[in-house]
Structure formats: structure tokens, C-alpha cells
Amino acid sequence: MLYIKPMTPTRFEEFKKDSQENYAKDLSKAGTSLEDAKKTVYEQFSRLVANGIGTTDQVFLDVLETATNESIGYLWLGYKGLAGKRVASINDIKIN
């Protein structure tokens, strides 16, 4: 079984590095040079997560294995207003 909890600042830094690396690789597979992909990812993260783990309307969760209490992934949710309602989107998810 799994459970989720808010990320710690240390875990957030690990997530940020992993998420950025994976996103840059995905962009490069789609035809963008790795150098340009890394630049794009850095700019997007700087804009979306301007205040790090405390950025308004961004939620960063650690996914843990219940039996071992070991981190096995993460979930990043973003909230925004759309058509007068508050909606959530999954910005990134990883389960090992």
C-alpha cells in the first residue's frame, strides 16, 4: 500500500532535480536539443515554482510505501481558476 504526505524541503530539492532532468529528456526525445530543453525547463520551473515548495497553488507530495515508509515517488499538483471554478492538474507524477 501507498500513502502520500507533503514534501519536506529536502525532498522538494530532490524532486525538482529529478523532475527537471526527466522533463528535459522528454523534450529532447521530441526533437528539441538537450541544451535548449534544459533552458526551457529551467525557465518554466522558475515561472511555475517561483517560491519553491511554498509557491501558491502548487502542491508537492511525497509518495511512500506504507510497510517500509520509503519514498517511492512524487506527485505535483497545480491549481488554477477555470470558468469560475478552481481546478487541479497533475503537473508531474512518478512512481518507481
Side-chain angles (χ1 to χ4, degrees):
M1 294 190 66
L2 307 175
Y3 71 99
I4 57 174
K5 71 175 189 175
M7 282 185 190
T8 64
T10 300
R11 180 67 176 121
F12 174 78
E13 291 305 318
E14 294 168 358
F15 147 77
K16 184 178 169 184
K17 180 181 177 187
D18 187 65
S19 182
Q20 288 177 334
E21 287 175 1
N22 289 333
Y23 186 28
K25 286 178 189 175
D26 287 346
L27 290 176
S28 68
K29 287 178 187 175
T32 304
S33 74
L34 188 55
E35 183 178 316
D36 287 346
K38 287 180 180 181
K39 182 179 176 187
T40 297
V41 169
Y42 176 80
E43 290 169 354
Q44 287 181 357
F45 264 75
S46 294
R47 188 178 70 254
L48 289 173
V49 191
N51 294 315
I53 198 169
T55 301
T56 302
D57 292 332
Q58 304 298 312
V59 177
F60 304 95
L61 301 166
D62 203 4
V63 179
L64 298 109
E65 167 58 48
T66 303
T68 62
N69 209 34
E70 228 179 287
S71 178
I72 60 164
Y74 51 75
L75 175 61
W76 171 17
L77 300 173
Y79 292 90
K80 65 180 178 179
L82 183 66
K85 296 181 181 181
R86 189 166 186 222
V87 296
S89 62
I90 296 174
N91 292 334
D92 198 1
I93 185 170
K94 180 179 178 183
I95 307 294
N96 297 326

